[in-house]
Amino acid sequence: MYRLDCAIWELTLACNMRCKHCGSSAGEARSDELSLEDCYKLCRGLADEGCNLVTLMGGEPFVRPDWNQISWCIKDLGMDLGYVTNGLLVPKIIEDLTLLEPLVVGISLDGVKETHDNIRREGSYDSVIKVLDLLEEASIQTTVITTLSKTNFKELHSIKEIIQDRKVNWQLQIGLPFGNFEPELTLSLEEFYASAMFITAEGFKNKFDHMPVVGAHCYGYYSHLLPNNKNWKGCTAGINTIGVTSDGSIVGCLSMGNDKFIEGNIRERNFSDIWNDPNSFAYNRQFTRANLGENCVNCLFGETCKGGCNSTSYHLNRTFHNTAYCFKQIEENLFEAKQYRKEIKWLKQKGVKT
């Protein structure tokens, strides 16, 4: 029996931006998105399974006209409410948001003004800054979300300067090659590790002391050197988290692809039947060490880590349980290479041909 903790719900695929890293290639609404009654049915199903937090995203969640009714349904059923938004529509709905008292609102900020506007759309940077002020004035807990790529990797310190005096949390995540994202913009292993060092070194305090600068689930795992990354117990998709697409499909994680690994649709089966089906989410629920890929099969932590973030693993390797974006592995490879270079230099000094 698995206990559902968090649902990430793609409320609509419609969006008022065309972001270059969007994994959903959002823009137009699906032709068959859930009706309001369907949404109420889903909310009841989530509550029946003990879900604690429902986070609404898109697309852009506030583009959907009935987002407010759906939000109140979530609250009335005793679940916490969160949002991930680009912020453009927040000034128009700030009073409604304040009344809803969301647990957190995630706001995307992907660089300094020129970079952010280039990734998202012209004028969106100024909108984000305005929204951060509005949310702070309304005492709504806010998390700034930055998706890292080669485009903005060198702007981490500049982004820090923009937000460090604000009462916000900051989450970093890496862009992955699916949807609109261009594969050549994916961070190298060295850049990924450098961004983790930044998180460690620049973790500044704010009024939410329990959440300093953090990495998303794509950041890990089991470093020899970096602190606070040894609690990873494997991908949570289908274990205590799920994703919901705007047409009612249930997936373990929207970041693995919102049109892939579908376990069922709430129009055809009720949510509890999908969640409690012993064959659902088999890639995680039926995991054994034999499922580990070549990057992870010999790792001491393999059975606990389960090969890291499955979204990262799948989009880079087309297989689960096999991510190379692992602190432990990167450190060992770097140090092994350094030691190898030392040995080659010593051999050459001794006149040995290599």
Side-chain angles (χ1 to χ4, degrees):
M1 180 66 69
Y2 294 89
R3 175 66 184 270
L4 179 62
D5 179 60
C6 177
I8 312 296
W9 184 352
E10 175 200 89
L11 196 59
T12 177
L13 201 57
C15 192
N16 47 10
M17 288 192 183
R18 298 292 187 275
C19 301
K20 294 181 178 179
H21 59 248
C22 179
S24 301
S25 300
E28 300 299 323
R30 299 177 193 269
S31 60
D32 56 348
E33 294 192 335
L34 295 177
S35 68
L36 182 58
E37 189 54 44
D38 288 332
C39 291
Y40 289 159
K41 175 185 174 182
L42 173 60
C43 290
R44 290 191 292 270
L46 295 173
D48 287 345
E49 291 304 319
C51 186
N52 292 315
L53 171 65
V54 181
T55 296
L56 302 180
M57 58 176 292
E60 169 54 41
F62 300 130
V63 168
R64 180 163 170 145
D66 54 6
W67 70 270
N68 201 8
Q69 293 101 304
I70 297 167
S71 298
W72 276 113
C73 182
I74 292 167
K75 293 281 289 188
D76 290 343
L77 287 167
M79 295 178 286
D80 284 325
L81 177 65
Y83 300 95
V84 177
T85 171
N86 59 41
L88 283 184
L89 297 176
V90 169
K92 296 180 180 180
I93 61 163
I94 188 63
E95 292 184 6
D96 292 321
L97 273 184
T98 303
L99 290 173
L100 282 161
E101 298 181 321
L103 184 67
V104 65
V105 174
I107 299 289
S108 301
L109 177 63
D110 291 314
V112 299
K113 182 173 182 176
E114 181 179 359
T115 303
H116 180 91
D117 283 359
N118 180 261
I119 291 172
R120 293 180 171 270
R121 62 178 260 188
E122 187 175 351
S124 60
Y125 174 88
D126 290 337
S127 295
V128 166
I129 299 304
K130 178 180 179 181
V131 165
L132 291 177
D133 291 336
L134 284 175
L135 292 172
E136 183 174 343
E137 290 170 7
S139 298
I140 296 174
Q141 181 169 332
T142 307
T143 295
V144 169
I145 302 172
T146 301
T147 300
L148 287 177
S149 68
K150 290 185 183 294
T151 302
N152 60 4
F153 167 71
K154 294 182 179 179
E155 295 183 4
L156 280 170
H157 286 281
S158 297
I159 300 171
K160 176 199 168 184
E161 291 176 358
I162 294 169
I163 64 175
Q164 65 181 343
D165 294 327
R166 298 177 177 274
K167 296 174 182 177
V168 298
N169 314 305
W170 189 16
Q171 175 181 296
L172 303 183
Q173 59 192 32
I174 59 173
L176 292 170
F178 66 106
N180 294 347
F181 190 80
E182 297 179 8
E184 60 269 23
L185 295 179
T186 307
L187 293 183
S188 68
L189 293 177
E190 291 79 6
E191 290 167 334
F192 171 73
Y193 192 76
S195 66
M197 294 177 68
F198 172 85
I199 291 173
T200 300
E202 300 290 348
F204 52 87
K205 297 291 184 180
N206 51 55
K207 79 171 186 177
F208 310 117
D209 288 335
H210 61 290
M211 286 188 68
V213 186
V214 297
H217 282 178
C218 54
Y219 273 88
Y221 311 89
Y222 295 91
S223 167
H224 295 281
L225 301 175
L226 301 177
N228 303 323
N229 69 93
K230 291 182 170 61
N231 295 321
W232 173 258
K233 303 302 181 186
C235 174
T236 62
I239 303 298
N240 54 39
T241 64
I242 54 103
V244 184
T245 65
S246 61
D247 61 358
S249 293
I250 303 300
V251 298
C253 173
L254 290 169
S255 294
M256 295 191 313
N258 57 10
D259 59 347
K260 298 180 175 67
F261 314 113
I262 295 170
E263 307 295 337
N265 191 289
I266 64 145
R267 285 174 168 148
E268 300 163 0
R269 301 169 65 194
N270 69 60
F271 176 76
S272 291
D273 287 346
I274 298 171
W275 176 255
N276 293 309
D277 188 328
N279 295 313
S280 291
F281 314 103
Y283 51 86
N284 265 351
R285 292 183 178 181
Q286 298 177 25
F287 168 84
T288 68
R289 190 175 188 91
N291 298 123
L292 293 172
E294 60 182 5
N295 291 321
C296 307
V297 66
N298 295 317
C299 180
L300 174 67
F301 300 104
E303 289 183 67
T304 303
C305 179
K306 300 179 182 178
C309 170
N310 273 330
S311 175
T312 306
S313 179
Y314 177 77
H315 290 299
L316 294 176
N317 304 310
R318 287 298 179 262
T319 184
F320 291 148
H321 312 296
N322 191 42
T323 184
Y325 282 63
C326 162
F327 297 158
K328 178 178 180 291
Q329 185 178 152
I330 292 170
E331 289 166 353
E332 290 173 356
N333 289 341
L334 287 173
F335 296 148
E336 182 178 324
K338 185 176 181 181
Q339 182 63 29
Y340 175 77
R341 288 193 295 270
K342 286 183 178 179
E343 291 172 358
I344 292 295
K345 182 178 180 181
W346 182 84
L347 289 172
K348 286 183 177 179
Q349 289 173 343
K350 298 296 183 181
V352 178
K353 292 184 179 181
T354 59

